[in-house]
Amino acid sequence: RDRGHLRAWVGLELGCGAVFQSPNAGASAASAAVAIAPCAGVSLRVGGPVSLALEGNLSATLLRRDNETAVLFLPALWLGALVAL
C-alpha cells in the first residue's frame, strides 16, 4: 500500500538449501533445510528516490539436527535504505 511518502507491505518468503556444521571437536555434519517466513515492512521516503525502510520476519526452518527433525524459529529485523531506480 502506498500513502504518499509512506509505504507498507506484507509477504511470504520460501526457500530451501543446505546447512553445514563444522564443530571444533568431532565430525562435521550437513542437512537439507526448508524455510518459510512471513514478513512485513514499512518505508518512508526521505528525499528524492531515497527511502528509509524497516522490515521484520519470523522464519521457521525445518532441518535435521542431532539425528532428529527440528524446527528453528529465527526472528529478524532489518533497517536499511531503499533507492528507487
Side-chain angles (χ1 to χ4, degrees), residues 16-19 30-34 61-64:
C16 61
V19 176
S31 172
V34 177
T61 303
L62 179 68
L63 51 78
R64 295 282 295 169

Side-chain angles (χ1 to χ4, degrees), residues 37-69:
C39 59
V42 295
S43 67
L44 177 66
R45 192 168 62 225
V46 293
V50 179
S51 298
L52 186 62
L54 180 66
E55 181 175 327
N57 68 35
L58 176 60
S59 70
T61 303
L62 179 68
L63 51 78
R64 295 282 295 169
R65 182 174 63 179
D66 298 330
N67 292 322
E68 294 183 3
T69 301

Side-chain angles (χ1 to χ4, degrees), residues 21-28:
Q21 181 180 9
S22 183
N24 292 336
S28 60

